[in-house]
Amino acid sequence: MTPTLFSPDRSAVVRRLRAAGCVFAEDEAELLIAAADSAEALADLVDRRVAGLPLEHLLGWAEFCGLRVAVDPGVFVPRGRTALLVAAAAAVAGPAPAVLDLCCGSGAAALVLHGRLAPRWLAAADLDPAAVACARRNLAPLGVPVYQGDLFAPLPAEWRGRLDLVVANAPYVPSGAVAMLPAEARLYEAPVALDGGVDGLAVLRRVAAGAAEWLTPGGHLAVEVSAGQVGALCAVLADAGLTPTVVRDDELEATAVTARRPG
Ligand SMILES: C[S@@+](CC[C@H](N)C(=O)[O-])C[C@H]1O[C@@H](n2cnc3c(N)ncnc32)[C@H](O)[C@@H]1O
């Protein structure tokens, strides 16, 4: 963290953030003060935060599973609950796995899995050019390639049927519920990152069908979903020929499903 080179009025910042409804106003004030190199820059950050911009987009990074992940404007901010998906995925990965972070967004899951597993191959992919550019910033220093395109389409064909683990935090909000999301998501994250179609499972259906082709026999798909969708998702996975196992963490309010390709 860069030392603050001016004398910010901490309590004034906290008061403004609190009045704007920021629940963790003290913590946010510290982060914004640390991110600013002048009183003017701080005033600008606080103004934009009070106007509703996500803290992570203002800072340019999010904390995820203990790591600092770069997050660009418009790119999905990795959520704390997705720690369950990453843990569930890591738990089913065998030794030296070939791993794909599909629908990677900022590449947060790949970044964490790079440290937790010793993958013999690790790649990420996303449809959204802004997400791909952001993921490349996070993953290029580790030598992890990031492909741009629809689901599995941009991947090197040689990996078809050879992946041990596909992690996919795909969009799963039903189209009709997108309007009810908090403004920070609705207004500042790309719709393609959120909207999962009529029942929320449109992208996940295609992920399941693709995983059945791209996984090696015995390999696993790991996905995140809301608690209310888990029954329908398990049926989708079973229809694709995969065997689902549900993992739940009440504290994180998170549900993940791992699904094994038999063989
Ligand atoms: C909910 S965000 C998750 C991002 C990241 N995995 C995370 O957990 O922070 C879903 C991501 O899926 C991507 N996406 C949506 N449809 C896609 C598709 N058809 N092919 C590839 N990526 C897609 C979006 O661009 C977005 O980055």
Side-chain angles (χ1 to χ4, degrees):
M1 217 175 260
T2 335
T4 305
L5 301 171
F6 58 101
S7 304
D9 183 345
R10 274 187 169 69
S11 43
V13 173
V14 171
R15 273 199 305 279
R16 279 202 70 198
L17 294 173
R18 194 171 289 137
C22 297
V23 180
F24 302 106
E26 281 88 359
D27 296 341
E28 292 203 12
E30 284 309 316
L31 290 165
L32 292 173
I33 288 167
D37 57 7
S38 67
E40 294 72 29
L42 177 60
D44 177 59
L45 285 172
V46 174
D47 284 348
R48 290 193 287 150
R49 181 66 185 126
V50 165
L53 264 86
L55 177 71
E56 294 82 356
H57 286 157
L58 288 172
L59 299 174
W61 58 271
E63 191 275 335
F64 181 65
C65 294
L67 298 182
R68 191 178 277 210
V69 182
V71 185
D72 293 333
V75 175
F76 186 86
V77 175
R79 308 295 204 261
R81 63 173 173 267
T82 303
L84 177 67
L85 171 65
V86 173
V92 293
V99 180
L100 172 66
D101 178 5
L102 191 63
C103 299
C104 67
S106 63
L111 196 62
V112 176
L113 289 172
H114 180 271
R116 284 200 196 166
L117 306 171
R120 72 178 185 289
W121 186 75
L122 173 62
D126 201 286
L127 186 61
D128 178 6
V132 169
C134 182
R136 285 190 178 139
R137 227 149 54 80
N138 284 310
L139 298 172
L142 304 174
V144 175
V146 182
Y147 299 97
Q148 187 191 337
D150 181 36
L151 298 185
F152 297 87
L155 299 176
E158 75 219 54
W159 287 100
R160 186 187 287 265
R162 291 178 54 211
L163 298 178
D164 299 295
L165 177 63
V166 174
V167 183
N169 184 17
Y172 57 82
V173 180
S175 302
V178 171
M180 270 102 79
L181 289 174
E184 287 190 11
R186 209 168 11 89
L187 303 179
Y188 299 103
E189 292 177 328
V192 71
L194 306 170
D195 192 334
V198 175
D199 65 352
L201 301 179
V203 183
L204 281 166
R205 250 181 220 102
R206 296 174 56 233
V207 168
E213 276 181 41
W214 283 78
L215 286 171
T216 191
H220 289 84
L221 169 67
V223 294
E224 179 179 299
V225 79
S226 75
Q229 292 166 313
V230 76
L233 175 65
C234 286
V236 164
L237 294 165
D239 282 351
L242 305 172
T243 310
T245 303
V246 178
V247 187
R248 172 82 196 156
D249 186 318
D250 289 334
E251 207 170 306
L252 289 175
E253 295 182 23
T255 306
V257 181
T258 60
R260 183 175 184 273
R261 180 179 171 186

